[in-house]
Structure formats: C-alpha cells, structure tokens
Amino acid sequence: MKGCKSVSNVVPSLITALVVLWLSMGVCRSQLSTNFYANSCPGVFRVVRRQLLCAFENDTRMAASLLRLHFHDCFVNGCDGSVLLDGSNSEKLAGPNRNSARGFDVIDTIKTAVENACNATVSCADVLTIAARDSVYLSGGPYWSVLLGRRDGLVANQTGANNLPSPFDSIDTIIGKFAAVGLNTTDVVSLSGGHTIGRARCVTFSGRLYDFSEDSSVDPTLDPSMAAELQVLCPQSGGDGNATAPLDRNSTYAFDNHYFKNLVEQKGLLSSDQGLFSSDEGEAATKALVQAYSNSSSLFFRDFVNSMIKMGNISPLTASAGEIRRNCRVVN
C-alpha cells in the first residue's frame, strides 16, 4: 500500500451523546464499553484509521465493502469475526459472500498493524467494527463511539451465512430475518441506507431487466431510463454477470440520504431496495420511513447510528468466551 497519512481523532459530541443515551437506557447489556482499550491499547483507533486511509486511496469502493463485511459478520453467530475465517466451512464460501465479499486483505493489514502496536489485545471482531464505523465517517457519514470488547469466535457458520438477508428476498422476509437477530423495521430501513455507498453485480438485479413478468418485461417499479442504461451494462445474454453498477445512482461514494431520494424516484438498484418504497409489503411497513429519510439526512443519520450500535451488540463473545485471534483467518 501507499504511504499513510496521520489523522486527527475528531469525535462529534452529538453522536457520542447518542451512545451514552443508549447505555443509560440499558440497550447494550453485554460487557462492551466505548473505552475498553483505553489502557491496554489506547492507540488502536489511530492505527486503524491510518491503515484505512491507505486502503481508500487504493480502492474507493473499499469503504462500502468493509461496512458490508461487518453486517455479514454480525448477522451470523453474532459479531464475532467468524466471517473472516478461512476453511471448508468458511462463511466466505456461502452464496451471499462468494465472489462478492471484499476487504479481507485490508482487515489483515489492519490487524497486523494493531498487533504490532498491542500484541494479542484487540480482537478481529473489534477491528472490523472500528473499520466499519470509520468507513462510514470517512465517506461523509456520521461518527459514533463504538462499543468494544468483543472476542473472536472459534468456528464459522456457512449454513447461517447462506441465510443472510438477500436482494431477492421480499420485504416481509427481510423484516423477519432482522427480527430473528433482535432488530426491528426501523433498523431494516436505516441499515439498508448503507447502500448509499458501494456497487452491486449484474447478477443481483438483472432479473428486474428482462422477462420480469407476464405483464411486463421490465420491473415496472424501475425507472425506464435507468432500466435502459442497466440493460446496456448487463445484456440478457453474453454479458459479464460480475459487472457492477452503483447502488446509489449519482452519489456512489458519498454517505448521505440520496439513496432514499432514489427510492422515491424509482431508481433503487436492487429489488429489495426499491421494495422498501414500492412493494405492497413496503407500503405497509417501510415506505413512510423511506420518505422521511429522503427528506431529512439528520433523521437518517440518527437512526443509522442507533441501528449500527444495536447490530454491533448482536451476541458478542466477551470475558473468557472465544479468543483474541492473532491472525483473523485462523483460530490460534
């Protein structure tokens, strides 16, 4: 990687206050805290930030990839770094991750730098959590104080990873999968807003472009001009299913509420995204919140932070459970 830049540690007070509020309400009941490494590894945030800036210089898309990696980690076995493990049962080989999940090499680089600073102290799960937060912040999104103290899991769960929320799922199915890990409908919509950065492969949305139904060759909830452009990128035959399109049209790498503005204009890329606003299930459960977020970036940022804190607290391993992996790809 290229040489790294030094950075200042800026912590906006409003978002930090939200974390304090969550703690006072008793939402985070596990043994996690915002100052977990204050004595054992006080420089961990600076080390992670420096490596991330290097990674983003080389690959602008990496911020979205690391945010997605954290999401996929927490939804399977809880936030225990299991998505990072190699092996025959690796979650990397599950359908939602195979040829799709990215950023493992960046996490390796960050972990090496953290180990050099504080040997056998900071878990891979916490490294990924910090990296996801900084990926949002460095893309123009909100900052929040992350709860830390997770330990790393000893096993992967490929079966669980094959049941991650999917772009092909109905809105009710997605809501059900979120509820299974303790998240609600507001979390569904706010965390979907993470699609304000990143890209998706043709194979995840080409079903909206051709032979959609008996009544319409193209998904009628997809803007016609956008559909025509996507058909050029993703031809019905002979194309590359791995070609990518931005999830947030015209605001690909900025973390903002433009994603929700696109949904209102029928310019959501994935069926599961547009369904939040345009499907019958979305009409009943999620449309109003999409509309609200499209009108207020501050409301979206507030709810997104709250939902990230909740997601980061899904079944963490603490105390003597699990281990602190030295290499995120293998157990010690």
Side-chain angles (χ1 to χ4, degrees):
M1 289 186 175
K2 299 177 181 178
C4 303
K5 300 176 181 178
S6 61
V7 297
S8 59
N9 186 15
V10 179
V11 184
S13 58
L14 178 59
I15 300 302
T16 302
L18 281 171
V19 178
V20 175
L21 176 61
W22 270 82
L23 290 170
S24 66
M25 293 172 62
V27 174
C28 299
R29 298 181 177 89
S30 66
Q31 300 170 23
L32 304 180
S33 69
T34 58
N35 63 352
F36 189 84
Y37 298 112
N39 296 320
S40 60
C41 193
V44 62
F45 297 110
R46 184 174 294 275
V47 172
V48 173
R49 179 74 64 84
R50 179 168 180 164
Q51 296 302 324
L52 281 178
L53 286 171
C54 292
F56 296 166
E57 285 181 0
N58 293 333
D59 183 356
T60 309
R61 185 183 168 194
M62 187 53 62
S65 297
L66 293 175
L67 177 59
R68 181 172 184 254
L69 207 56
H70 179 50
F71 180 99
H72 283 207
D73 183 39
C74 290
F75 264 70
V76 181
N77 290 359
C79 308
D80 67 345
S82 60
V83 73
L84 305 173
L85 288 168
D86 289 338
S88 59
N89 193 43
S90 174
E91 294 167 26
K92 300 175 184 179
L93 302 177
N97 293 327
R98 188 172 56 249
N99 300 322
S100 174
R102 307 170 69 247
F104 300 108
D105 55 339
V106 173
I107 295 299
D108 289 341
T109 299
I110 296 172
K111 176 61 170 172
T112 297
V114 170
E115 284 292 303
N116 288 338
C118 316
N119 182 53
T121 301
V122 182
S123 67
C124 297
D126 276 351
V127 165
L128 182 53
T129 301
I130 298 169
R133 186 275 309 274
D134 279 6
S135 291
V136 170
Y137 180 59
L138 294 172
S139 299
Y143 186 101
W144 64 98
S145 296
V146 289
L147 291 159
L148 301 171
R150 300 167 191 79
R151 290 169 65 85
D152 296 318
L154 303 177
V155 294
N157 182 357
Q158 190 175 123
T159 299
N162 275 315
N163 195 42
L164 282 162
S166 162
F168 310 110
D169 285 341
S170 68
I171 299 304
D172 281 351
T173 297
I174 292 173
I175 289 173
K177 289 182 177 181
F178 272 64
V181 295
L183 301 178
N184 60 30
T185 302
T186 297
D187 302 318
V188 170
V189 183
S190 62
L191 291 175
S192 293
H195 285 173
T196 184
I197 53 176
R199 306 178 69 86
R201 296 179 299 158
C202 288
V203 293
T204 62
F205 59 83
S206 58
R208 304 181 70 197
L209 306 178
Y210 308 99
D211 302 325
F212 181 74
S213 69
E214 293 182 359
D215 300 323
S216 177
S217 60
V218 176
D219 185 345
T221 68
L222 179 60
D223 175 78
S225 62
M226 180 174 170
E229 291 180 19
L230 292 175
Q231 287 173 334
V232 174
L233 175 70
C234 313
Q236 189 168 15
S237 61
D240 180 4
N242 289 316
T244 63
L247 286 161
D248 187 359
R249 185 179 173 89
N250 297 326
S251 180
T252 306
Y253 300 114
F255 197 99
D256 53 27
N257 69 332
H258 192 267
Y259 161 85
F260 296 103
K261 295 179 184 293
N262 277 341
L263 299 188
V264 172
E265 297 176 359
Q266 294 191 316
K267 293 179 180 179
L269 183 65
L270 305 178
S271 175
S272 57
D273 286 338
Q274 191 59 52
L276 294 170
F277 186 79
S278 300
S279 70
D280 291 340
E281 296 166 348
E283 175 79 30
T286 56
K287 181 177 181 178
L289 200 51
V290 169
Q291 186 77 60
Y293 290 161
S294 74
N295 292 325
S296 174
S297 60
S298 61
L299 176 62
F300 165 47
F301 281 12
R302 184 200 70 185
D303 285 357
F304 180 82
V305 167
N306 289 344
S307 295
M308 285 293 288
I309 293 169
K310 287 176 64 178
M311 186 181 76
N313 202 49
I314 297 174
S315 304
L317 299 175
T318 57
S320 60
E323 66 179 13
I324 304 298
R325 268 182 243 146
R326 290 170 174 78
N327 179 342
C328 292
R329 294 176 181 264
V330 296
V331 298
N332 294 338

